[in-house]
């Protein structure tokens, strides 16, 4: 049970009048005239008439019969309304004519509590509303167990996060009084409209669902508006496991099969790989591996990123050498739209914590499917491992792995992206045959130091040079990732060498400047829910400004930080960079000379 205020006892209301020229059922919210002059009584009655006219009829009809409205000057400074028994009290400071909007909001808030409690918490106790609000189900099968509400960004009022009853009251304020509520919190708007039997009004919302796309490969972040109508299918995207502790069971993601502009949704959209996007829960946009200890203790944030598919393919198949399985999910068109809408809500509002067991990528993906597609909420899909979630999706008839049965066709149609290890071995065999290299495979070759590989590069023919260039670039990317992780481990902790302090301070400031990529709400401090047109324009401009600033600082910071790395690691990086330059130069020279 959630804690309740001591004054949250059941109250009633009698409502009787004809308001604003519209005949209403016989109720009236009685005004207590104590301490009020004639003008104040009249203004209070005008407030009551105005608010009651705005409420859905089901709400008005559902209020109990003995409510009295009065004013008090002794409420706490941060409290504008309170219920005590059958009385509603509003802060007397709101009686001022200039405070009418605030008084209206406070009265709607208290009438929301009155309706909810009169019907045994029909709203605040509803499981579906709690999930939409952010009190998500636990992955473990404990009756009634839910997480705290981590939908803390872009909230209209932080008080809504304290308990479900306050969430209901705050959101009903906006449902009744804010014309943009249907655009900013569309799922909640539809929920309340359905509950009260109101028809959903077609609001003029900004087109598409906004996401800040993080493109680490290009060092860019830009605002993208996704149109659900252009998404042909959603796939469960599984990065296969490897020997690392944090990756043994794989990584769960969702792939959005987005059709190219002008193409009607259909199977051919699977060929539009450049337009496909991936929803991935992770701590940071560039982190494939994370510390197992920090993952166990919840020290990482957990947020949903929108990433280009080609970036995901690169980081897993080329750097991590892990295959990607892309399994179509059987979802209806309206379910795809609902899922994407929920993902956008998470993207702008959610700030959870990553736990290796209880709130990892599989759990977060399950919650997104559970909350975003109401039909799936009834399926036993909860799992703490990515492979376990896939098996449950299969058993429920939601995922269809038959697309992987024909390996060649799966690769050709983009249902499977094989790890580059096999290709690296093929490339290495070309160089090995030409140069009689002693190492058995590509892994053994890349395990050599750059200086040990260097003498062979100057002897390669055109084909061998092309193969070795690909392998050296792979070695460079992996070394860069290792050095980045080394920098974080060494200099983002507490024990920082005194002489490295200035560089570390610069690194921390730089990482702070990148935080908007993982929490885009930083770019839109005003407003709540999904950003609308004017906010999107400001977000796009601010994102460009921040990206340009980061690009300007990146090279200088990297050079400054590299000198604090261990000498052997710096030598390895310089050696690989030298090898890449050397083999690239040789390849161009051989091509220009027309070498075979």
């Amino acid at each position: 049970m959630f804690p309740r205020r001591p004054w949250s006892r059941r109250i009633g209301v009698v409502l009787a009048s004809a308001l604003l020229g519209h005949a209403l059922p016989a109720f009236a919210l009685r005004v207590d005239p104590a301490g009020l002059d004639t003008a104040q009584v009249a203004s209070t009655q005008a407030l009551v008439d105005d608010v009651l006219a705005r409420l859905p009829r089901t709400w008005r009809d559902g209020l109990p019969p003995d409510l009295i409205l009065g004013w008090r000057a002794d409420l706490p400074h941060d409290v504008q309304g309170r219920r005590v028994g059958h009385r509603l009290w509003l802060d007397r400071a709101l009686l001022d004519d200039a405070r009418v909007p605030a008084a209206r909001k406070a009265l709607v808030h208290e009438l929301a509590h009155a309706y909810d409690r009169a019907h045994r918490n029909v709203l605040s106790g509803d499981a579906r509303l709690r999930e939409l609000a952010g009190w998500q189900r636990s992955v473990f099968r404990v009756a009634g167990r839910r997480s705290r509400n981590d939908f803390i960004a872009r909230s209209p009022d932080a008080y809504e996060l304290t308990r479900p009853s306050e969430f209901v009251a705050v959101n009903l304020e906006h449902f009744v009084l804010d014309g943009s509520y249907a655009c900013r919190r569309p799922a909640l708007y539809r929920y309340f409209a359905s509950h009260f039997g109101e028809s959903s009004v077609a609001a003029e919302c900004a087109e598409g669902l906004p996401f800040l796309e993080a493109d680490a490969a290009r060092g860019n972040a830009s605002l993208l508006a996704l149109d659900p109508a252009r998404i042909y299918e959603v796939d469960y995207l599984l990065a296969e496991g490897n020997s690392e502790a944090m990756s043994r069971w794989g990584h769960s993601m969702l792939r959005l099969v987005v059709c190219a502009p002008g193409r009607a949704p259909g199977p051919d959209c699977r060929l539009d790989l450049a337009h496909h996007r991936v929803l991935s829960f992770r701590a940071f946009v560039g982190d494939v591996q994370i510390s197992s200890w920090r993952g166990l203790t919840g020290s990482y944030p957990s947020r949903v990123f929108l990433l280009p598919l080609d970036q995901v393919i690169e980081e897993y198949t080329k750097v991590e050498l892990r295959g990607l399985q892309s399994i179509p999910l059987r979802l209806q068109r309206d379910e795809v739209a609902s899922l994407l809408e929920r993902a956008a809500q998470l993207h702008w509002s959610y700030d959870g914590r990553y736990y290796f067991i209880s709130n990892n990528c599989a759990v977060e993906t399950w919650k997104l499917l559970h909350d975003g597609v109401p039909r799936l909420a009834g399926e036993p899909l909860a799992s703490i491992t990515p492979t376990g979630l896939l098996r449950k999706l299969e058993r429920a008839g939601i995922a269809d792995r038959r697309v992987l049965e024909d390996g060649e066709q799966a690769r050709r149609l983009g249902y499977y992206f094989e790890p580059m290890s096999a290709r690296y071995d093929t490339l290495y065999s070309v160089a090995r045959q030409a140069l009689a290299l002693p190492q058995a495979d590509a892994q053994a070759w890349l395990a050599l130091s750059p200086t040990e590989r260097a003498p062979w590069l100057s002897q390669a023919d055109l084909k061998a040079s092309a193969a070795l260039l690909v392998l050296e670039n792979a070695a460079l990317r992996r070394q860069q990732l290792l050095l980045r992780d080394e920098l974080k481990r060494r200099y983002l902790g507490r024990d920082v060498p005194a002489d490295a302090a200035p560089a570390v301070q610069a690194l921390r400031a730089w990482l702070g400047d990148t935080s908007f990529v993982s929490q885009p709400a930083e770019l839109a401090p005003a407003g709540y829910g999904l950003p609308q047109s004017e906010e999107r324009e400001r977000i796009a401009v601010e994102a460009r400004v921040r990206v340009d600033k980061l690009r300007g600082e990146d090279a200088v910071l990297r050079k400054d930080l590299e000198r604090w790395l261990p000498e052997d690691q710096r030598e390895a990086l310089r050696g690989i960079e030298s090898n890449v330059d050397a083999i690239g130069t040789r390849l161009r020279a051989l091509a220009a000379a027309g070498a075979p």
Side-chain angles (χ1 to χ4, degrees), residues 204-220:
E204 292 192 12
C205 306
E207 292 185 2
L209 292 165
F211 290 86
L212 188 71
E213 181 176 61
D215 191 342
R218 298 173 180 85
N220 196 21

Side-chain angles (χ1 to χ4, degrees), residues 334-594:
D334 61 328
E335 293 176 333
V336 170
S338 176
L339 180 67
L340 189 65
E341 187 178 273
R342 178 64 171 184
Q345 180 190 6
L346 289 166
H347 185 66
W348 291 99
S349 300
Y350 179 66
D351 186 18
R353 309 307 298 172
Y354 181 97
Y355 288 91
F356 182 45
I357 299 297
S358 61
N359 206 54
N360 55 35
C361 61
V363 174
E364 294 280 34
T365 304
W366 163 69
K367 288 179 181 177
L368 175 54
L369 291 169
H370 178 280
D371 298 343
V373 183
R375 172 174 63 91
L376 302 187
E379 299 288 347
L381 301 177
S383 175
I384 62 172
T385 67
T387 51
L389 177 55
L390 178 55
R391 285 194 298 270
K392 291 188 175 185
L393 287 167
E394 283 186 87
R395 284 200 294 268
I398 300 162
D400 185 2
R401 291 190 72 180
R402 290 179 299 175
V403 296
L404 300 178
E405 290 177 354
D406 184 332
E408 180 59 36
Q409 181 169 299
R411 289 188 289 273
R412 181 170 55 84
L413 297 179
Y415 293 114
Y416 185 70
F417 301 93
E418 62 183 347
M420 290 295 288
S421 50
R423 185 184 175 194
Y424 290 162
D425 283 338
T426 299
L427 290 170
Y428 177 72
S429 66
V430 171
R432 186 185 187 195
Q433 183 176 2
L435 299 171
L437 299 174
Q439 285 68 40
D441 55 29
Q443 291 297 322
W445 167 255
L446 293 176
L448 297 175
S449 69
T451 54
E452 290 175 304
R453 295 195 299 268
W456 298 96
L457 305 182
S458 60
Q459 305 174 39
D461 60 17
L462 185 65
K463 288 179 64 176
S465 293
L468 291 174
L469 179 61
V470 173
L471 293 174
E472 284 301 314
N473 273 305
L476 178 61
R477 177 72 189 276
R478 291 184 67 84
Q479 185 67 18
Q480 289 171 339
L481 288 176
L482 287 172
L483 294 184
R484 183 190 63 190
D485 290 340
E486 179 69 18
L487 281 170
K488 285 189 296 187
R489 281 194 297 270
R490 276 176 166 262
Y491 299 126
L492 293 184
R494 297 178 180 176
D495 301 324
V496 177
D499 54 352
V504 172
Q505 186 176 1
L507 173 62
R508 288 173 175 164
W510 189 86
L511 290 173
D513 289 343
T514 68
S515 62
F516 75 94
V517 178
S518 63
Q519 198 165 26
E522 286 185 16
L523 301 174
Y528 71 96
L530 301 181
Q532 295 306 298
S533 298
E534 291 185 3
E535 294 167 292
R536 294 187 191 185
E537 292 174 7
R538 292 195 295 271
I539 289 168
V541 170
E542 181 64 17
R544 285 196 295 271
V545 169
R546 295 202 187 190
V547 166
D548 289 344
K549 180 175 182 288
L550 291 170
R551 285 174 176 165
E553 296 172 347
D554 180 58
V556 175
L557 178 63
R558 186 178 303 176
K559 184 176 181 180
D560 190 31
L561 286 169
E562 280 179 6
R563 65 193 182 95
W564 299 107
L565 289 167
E567 179 61 28
D568 60 333
Q569 295 188 13
R570 282 187 285 150
E571 285 297 324
L573 179 62
R574 285 196 291 263
I576 297 173
E577 289 173 340
S578 176
N579 284 354
V580 169
D581 289 342
I583 194 68
T585 300
R586 179 168 178 77
L587 185 61
R588 288 189 294 273
L590 290 172

Side-chain angles (χ1 to χ4, degrees), residues 32-273:
D32 182 355
L36 304 179
D37 60 29
T38 302
Q40 290 171 330
V41 171
S43 64
T44 302
Q45 187 60 56
L47 170 67
V48 169
D49 292 347
D50 174 57
V51 166
L52 293 180
R54 296 170 185 268
L55 301 186
R57 182 178 293 273
T58 301
W59 185 344
R60 294 193 306 267
D61 289 350
L63 288 164
D66 57 352
L67 196 63
I68 300 171
L69 175 62
W71 301 90
R72 288 177 60 166
D74 60 348
L75 294 178
H77 75 280
D78 58 345
V79 173
Q80 294 186 330
R82 175 169 288 182
R83 294 171 296 129
V84 180
H86 64 284
R87 285 185 172 270
L88 283 184
W89 297 104
L90 297 185
D91 182 6
R92 192 179 178 93
L94 302 180
L95 193 51
D96 188 300
D97 288 344
R99 305 286 306 275
V100 169
R104 182 186 296 130
K105 181 179 175 182
L107 183 53
V108 171
H109 187 104
E110 297 307 328
L111 290 174
H113 282 311
Y115 174 86
D116 188 40
R117 292 302 307 278
H119 296 275
R120 300 177 183 272
N121 302 326
V122 64
L123 294 172
S124 61
D126 182 57
R128 177 60 180 162
L129 182 127
R130 291 191 181 195
E131 287 154 6
L132 290 174
W135 281 279
Q136 298 174 296
R137 289 188 185 274
S138 168
V139 69
F140 299 110
R141 296 181 179 180
V142 179
R145 182 174 177 181
R146 292 178 181 273
S147 66
R148 68 181 186 181
N149 193 331
D150 284 321
F151 286 57
I152 60 177
R154 285 187 63 81
S155 168
D157 184 346
Y159 193 44
E160 69 172 347
L161 306 176
T162 58
R163 59 182 68 88
S165 60
E166 295 301 342
F167 184 92
V168 167
V170 169
N171 278 265
L172 284 179
E173 294 172 25
H174 292 272
F175 175 74
V176 170
L177 302 174
D178 182 0
S180 69
Y181 186 73
C183 302
R184 296 180 178 280
R185 288 186 164 176
L188 285 163
Y189 172 81
R190 290 193 301 271
Y191 173 92
F192 288 127
S194 174
H195 175 83
F196 290 120
E198 300 282 298
S199 58
S200 297
V201 178
E204 292 192 12
C205 306
E207 292 185 2
L209 292 165
F211 290 86
L212 188 71
E213 181 176 61
D215 191 342
R218 298 173 180 85
N220 196 21
S222 57
L223 194 66
L224 182 68
L226 279 181
D227 180 359
R230 286 183 54 212
I231 298 177
Y232 169 58
E233 283 183 318
V234 176
D235 289 5
Y236 182 81
L237 188 64
L238 174 68
E240 296 172 340
N242 61 16
S243 60
E244 297 291 333
M246 297 294 285
S247 307
R248 190 167 300 165
W249 292 278
H251 182 71
S252 297
M253 296 168 280
L254 294 177
R255 173 187 176 187
L256 306 178
V257 181
V258 183
C259 304
R263 190 193 295 279
D268 286 348
C269 293
R270 288 199 161 271
L271 304 176
D272 301 329
L273 296 183

